[in-house]
Amino acid sequence: MLTIGQLAQYAGVTVRAVRHYHQVGLLAEPERDPSGYRRYGATAVVSLIKIRTLANAGVPLSRIREMLDADAPTFAEAAHRIDEHLRDEIERLETSRKQIAQLTAGDSLVLPPAVVAYLDRLREIGVSARMVTGERDGWILMAARWPDQVEEWIPAKLAELEDPLMVRLYRLLSEIFDGDAGHDDPRLVEAADVMAALCEQAYASGAAGIDAGSDDDMLFDLLDALAVESDARATRLRELVRERGWARWTRLERVAEPPGPERPATGVT
């Protein structure tokens, strides 16, 4: 969970801007924790990035709430009206006009074309709208953290979708999270088995994953939090994956082996 300063830094805005978005009702302000601090999760980061992008594109704050909550046709209509207004503005607003014209594409609001194409491919293989939305929000977090690298990962991600096991996982998760079954849904066990098999497969092939060379856990903590905030059953799924030897699904990371009797734990790493 992030402080207001960490939230602002991650999304590329000032703390003052975050507080202003609270005041005008664009961004929900969390309750204080027992220590008296306000803590923000992954959903708040995604929302703030969207608000920042729309604001930078020249959308008045009074219109941003309408556009964030709008369905696709209403969103496109609003973007078109703003585009017409910007046509009459001076040359320095031309960049903003072009950004507004792109908003009708939906996913391309804060994502590069290669990622949008990947999301379209997920839809083609039968991934549910809810799952695609979760994937999109995860890519928003990654693009904000590593804007120059996300497009480099897409060829490998598309190649993964040629694996029937990966396709099975996406369809299975779509069934689970679109349904009403609880934490005892037996499909969660099946999904964990498939995830573990894919992890073993990637590990055996020497795949490094998208986090190659990164020792920064913030993004991966946010990705895990995003899943749980989207559906509490993700907590149970992560527990099941951990039981199968994998610490998390957002990076290729095995559960640490407990120290043996000949090498007692010292607390020093």
Side-chain angles (χ1 to χ4, degrees):
M1 303 297 282
L2 309 182
T3 64
I4 190 171
Q6 291 172 320
L7 171 70
Q9 182 180 23
Y10 194 103
V13 301
T14 64
V15 171
R16 181 178 180 180
V18 175
R19 288 176 174 151
H20 182 63
Y21 295 150
H22 287 327
Q23 291 174 356
V24 299
L26 282 179
L27 185 68
E29 187 172 23
E31 296 295 330
R32 295 186 183 275
D33 63 19
S35 301
Y37 294 98
R38 299 187 192 278
R39 300 290 181 176
Y40 298 81
T43 304
V45 179
V46 171
S47 295
L48 183 55
I49 291 170
K50 291 179 179 178
I51 293 168
R52 179 208 68 194
T53 304
L54 288 165
N56 288 348
V59 181
L61 294 185
S62 59
R63 296 288 303 280
I64 288 179
R65 169 53 60 195
E66 171 192 347
M67 297 184 74
L68 288 175
D69 294 339
D71 57 20
T74 304
F75 189 94
E77 180 182 356
H80 179 68
R81 288 199 304 266
I82 295 170
D83 181 67
E84 287 184 336
H85 171 73
L86 290 177
R87 288 182 191 276
D88 300 326
E89 297 295 329
I90 61 177
E91 185 176 352
R92 69 181 178 84
L93 293 178
E94 183 62 24
T95 299
S96 295
R97 189 192 67 80
K98 291 178 180 178
Q99 291 177 1
I100 291 295
Q102 293 174 351
L103 297 185
T104 57
D107 292 335
S108 66
L109 171 61
V110 288
L111 290 174
V115 177
V116 174
Y118 174 73
L119 296 177
D120 287 340
R121 179 58 183 150
L122 290 180
R123 296 183 180 98
E124 290 172 2
I125 66 172
V127 178
S128 71
R130 183 175 182 183
M131 280 293 297
V132 172
T133 296
E135 283 276 333
R136 181 202 64 202
D137 289 350
W139 281 103
I140 287 173
L141 292 173
M142 288 189 283
R145 196 65 167 172
W146 292 318
D148 298 327
Q149 293 174 263
V150 288
E151 293 197 68
E152 298 174 7
W153 298 326
I154 294 302
K157 296 295 293 183
L158 287 171
E160 289 178 356
L161 298 182
E162 299 302 317
D163 184 341
L165 196 60
M166 182 65 76
V167 174
R168 172 58 184 154
L169 175 62
Y170 270 115
R171 291 175 178 170
L172 182 59
L173 292 176
S174 294
E175 294 172 5
I176 293 170
F177 295 121
D178 278 1
D180 298 326
H183 288 69
D184 58 350
D185 187 341
R187 292 174 298 183
L188 289 170
V189 175
E190 182 182 353
D193 287 339
V194 175
M195 282 184 170
L198 287 167
C199 287
E200 292 288 353
Q201 183 175 293
Y203 190 83
S205 69
I210 65 169
D211 55 320
S214 172
D215 58 359
D216 182 359
D217 279 341
M218 180 182 290
L219 170 65
F220 303 103
D221 290 341
L222 286 171
L223 289 172
D224 287 343
L226 181 63
V228 174
E229 291 172 18
S230 299
D231 194 304
R233 288 171 293 183
T235 299
R236 178 55 181 158
L237 181 57
R238 183 173 178 181
E239 291 171 353
L240 291 168
V241 171
R242 189 174 185 86
E243 289 173 5
R244 287 152 178 76
W246 296 97
R248 63 207 309 172
W249 56 60
T250 52
R251 70 194 307 179
L252 203 58
E253 180 181 318
R254 287 192 182 276
V255 174
E257 292 290 339
E262 72 284 358
R263 294 184 61 188
T266 64
V268 178
T269 58

